Amino acid sequence: MPKISIVVPCYNEQDSLPLFYSETKAILPGTDCDYEFLFVDDGSADETLAVLRQLAGQDSRVTYLSFSRNFGKEAAIYAGLCNADGDYVAVMDADLQDPPSLLPQMIALLESGDYDNVATRRRNRKGEPPIRSWFARRFYQLINRISDTDMVDGARDFRLMRREMAEAIVSMSEYNRFSKGIFSWVGFRTCWLSYDNVERAAGETKWSFWKLLKYAVDGIINFSQAPLSIASWGGMLMTLVSFLMLIIIIVRRLIFGDPVAGWASTICVIIFIGGLQLFCLGVMGQYIAKTYMETKHRPHFIIAETNRSDTRRIR
Ligand code: UDP
Ligand code: MG
């Protein structure tokens, strides 16, 4: 009987966790798989850890890792995948936005042998602010144009994968993690399931608009070098244009003897080019900053407490 490890990143999810646990627990015995929960408490400030301790006390299938502080969802997923030892590994949010009712179908698809992982996407963005949906769509259009890695619009982190794929993901030990890109980068045979957007069961989302925007920029920088090329091509183009303008001005001065005029427009051009240069420097700076963080080789997470015996606490 194959075993499934269900990795659940949790950050301030005291209200959703009991709902998630009971709903998922009701579905799993219907499948012919053994299972374990692997909750990752991402440094929650509420009673999440207490809830996890209590669940673990009453159910030996519940295991948890608790971080020493908030390291972010990406780190929580990474910690879960590092420690999951099932034949299949699932990643699910704690807020029931990833419907556990899909699990039996996902398991059946893996068992059929045709796929290595089953991924999910939202068919629509019902219940989401329209402006957020609009930006999300633009983001996917842009990143698919400038990155070699395919990113599916509406893709969730909700996945069921074979161990081999989980190991491949763990082997990508980069510090700046963008799961949507990493899942796609490692390849393997993927089956996509679509479902209607579900609103969060309890608590509230941890993603403000600005956090999402920053996440999108991180995604672009992590999976594309296009901004760097755009900066250098743009620079070349501007050099060419200014060279042509120089020739025109010299010729005009020699033939027509125009006096030098247009102080205001000169200042405008100088400011424009100065701004452009700063912008391109900033783009370069973003890549350098990422490289800097990577070269430090800091741990992705630090586990302060766990009820698993074979855990790597720092990685
Ligand atoms: N999460 C986490 N660490 C964080 C932020 C979020 O582990 O710093 C978890 C959170 O508990 C939830 C999942 O990531 O299980 C998705 O978060 P959320 O529901 O806030 O995001 P949304 O569904 O709105 O994109
Ligand atoms: Mg959510």
PDB file of all heavy atoms in Angstrom, residues 13 93 95 97 156 200 205, ligand 2:
ATOM      1  N   GLU A  13      -2.921  29.808  11.348  1.00  0.00           N
ATOM      2  CA  GLU A  13      -4.079  29.073  10.826  1.00  0.00           C
ATOM      3  C   GLU A  13      -4.840  28.371  11.945  1.00  0.00           C
ATOM      4  O   GLU A  13      -5.437  27.327  11.718  1.00  0.00           O
ATOM      5  CB  GLU A  13      -3.635  28.049   9.782  1.00  0.00           C
ATOM      6  CG  GLU A  13      -2.932  28.607   8.563  1.00  0.00           C
ATOM      7  CD  GLU A  13      -3.871  29.281   7.567  1.00  0.00           C
ATOM      8  OE1 GLU A  13      -5.074  29.419   7.875  1.00  0.00           O
ATOM      9  OE2 GLU A  13      -3.390  29.681   6.504  1.00  0.00           O
ATOM     10  N   ASP A  93      -2.690  23.828   0.952  1.00  0.00           N
ATOM     11  CA  ASP A  93      -2.861  24.943   1.874  1.00  0.00           C
ATOM     12  C   ASP A  93      -3.758  24.509   3.038  1.00  0.00           C
ATOM     13  O   ASP A  93      -4.582  23.618   2.885  1.00  0.00           O
ATOM     14  CB  ASP A  93      -3.537  26.130   1.172  1.00  0.00           C
ATOM     15  CG  ASP A  93      -2.573  26.859   0.260  1.00  0.00           C
ATOM     16  OD1 ASP A  93      -1.407  26.425   0.173  1.00  0.00           O
ATOM     17  OD2 ASP A  93      -2.996  27.858  -0.353  1.00  0.00           O
ATOM     18  N   ASP A  95      -6.077  26.334   4.409  1.00  0.00           N
ATOM     19  CA  ASP A  95      -7.324  27.090   4.500  1.00  0.00           C
ATOM     20  C   ASP A  95      -8.469  26.468   3.702  1.00  0.00           C
ATOM     21  O   ASP A  95      -9.483  27.118   3.468  1.00  0.00           O
ATOM     22  CB  ASP A  95      -7.095  28.534   4.059  1.00  0.00           C
ATOM     23  CG  ASP A  95      -6.518  28.610   2.664  1.00  0.00           C
ATOM     24  OD1 ASP A  95      -6.406  27.557   2.011  1.00  0.00           O
ATOM     25  OD2 ASP A  95      -6.181  29.720   2.222  1.00  0.00           O
ATOM     26  N   GLN A  97      -8.650  26.024   0.625  1.00  0.00           N
ATOM     27  CA  GLN A  97      -8.791  26.533  -0.747  1.00  0.00           C
ATOM     28  C   GLN A  97      -8.317  25.481  -1.738  1.00  0.00           C
ATOM     29  O   GLN A  97      -8.558  25.590  -2.936  1.00  0.00           O
ATOM     30  CB  GLN A  97      -7.982  27.818  -0.923  1.00  0.00           C
ATOM     31  CG  GLN A  97      -8.708  29.031  -0.382  1.00  0.00           C
ATOM     32  CD  GLN A  97      -8.036  30.327  -0.795  1.00  0.00           C
ATOM     33  OE1 GLN A  97      -6.889  30.575  -0.461  1.00  0.00           O
ATOM     34  NE2 GLN A  97      -8.753  31.148  -1.525  1.00  0.00           N
ATOM     35  N   ARG A 156      -2.087  26.379  -8.883  1.00  0.00           N
ATOM     36  CA  ARG A 156      -1.956  26.437  -7.437  1.00  0.00           C
ATOM     37  C   ARG A 156      -0.703  25.664  -7.037  1.00  0.00           C
ATOM     38  O   ARG A 156      -0.134  24.937  -7.846  1.00  0.00           O
ATOM     39  CB  ARG A 156      -3.182  25.769  -6.778  1.00  0.00           C
ATOM     40  CG  ARG A 156      -4.503  26.309  -7.220  1.00  0.00           C
ATOM     41  CD  ARG A 156      -5.001  27.423  -6.365  1.00  0.00           C
ATOM     42  NE  ARG A 156      -4.874  27.153  -4.934  1.00  0.00           N
ATOM     43  CZ  ARG A 156      -4.942  28.104  -4.010  1.00  0.00           C
ATOM     44  NH1 ARG A 156      -5.123  29.366  -4.374  1.00  0.00           N
ATOM     45  NH2 ARG A 156      -4.827  27.811  -2.745  1.00  0.00           N
ATOM     46  N   ARG A 200     -11.395  30.997   1.168  1.00  0.00           N
ATOM     47  CA  ARG A 200     -10.739  30.491   2.370  1.00  0.00           C
ATOM     48  C   ARG A 200     -11.763  30.152   3.462  1.00  0.00           C
ATOM     49  O   ARG A 200     -12.752  30.853   3.652  1.00  0.00           O
ATOM     50  CB  ARG A 200      -9.738  31.585   2.739  1.00  0.00           C
ATOM     51  CG  ARG A 200      -9.244  31.717   4.068  1.00  0.00           C
ATOM     52  CD  ARG A 200      -8.350  32.940   4.108  1.00  0.00           C
ATOM     53  NE  ARG A 200      -6.945  32.569   3.913  1.00  0.00           N
ATOM     54  CZ  ARG A 200      -6.250  31.878   4.798  1.00  0.00           C
ATOM     55  NH1 ARG A 200      -6.793  31.491   5.909  1.00  0.00           N
ATOM     56  NH2 ARG A 200      -5.000  31.590   4.543  1.00  0.00           N
ATOM     57  N   THR A 205      -6.256  35.973   4.263  1.00  0.00           N
ATOM     58  CA  THR A 205      -5.081  35.754   3.418  1.00  0.00           C
ATOM     59  C   THR A 205      -3.889  36.552   3.930  1.00  0.00           C
ATOM     60  O   THR A 205      -4.047  37.608   4.519  1.00  0.00           O
ATOM     61  CB  THR A 205      -5.376  36.129   1.953  1.00  0.00           C
ATOM     62  OG1 THR A 205      -4.162  35.968   1.209  1.00  0.00           O
ATOM     63  CG2 THR A 205      -5.859  37.548   1.814  1.00  0.00           C
TER      64      THR A 205
HETATM   65 MG    MG B   2      -5.462  30.711   0.764  1.00  0.00          MG
END
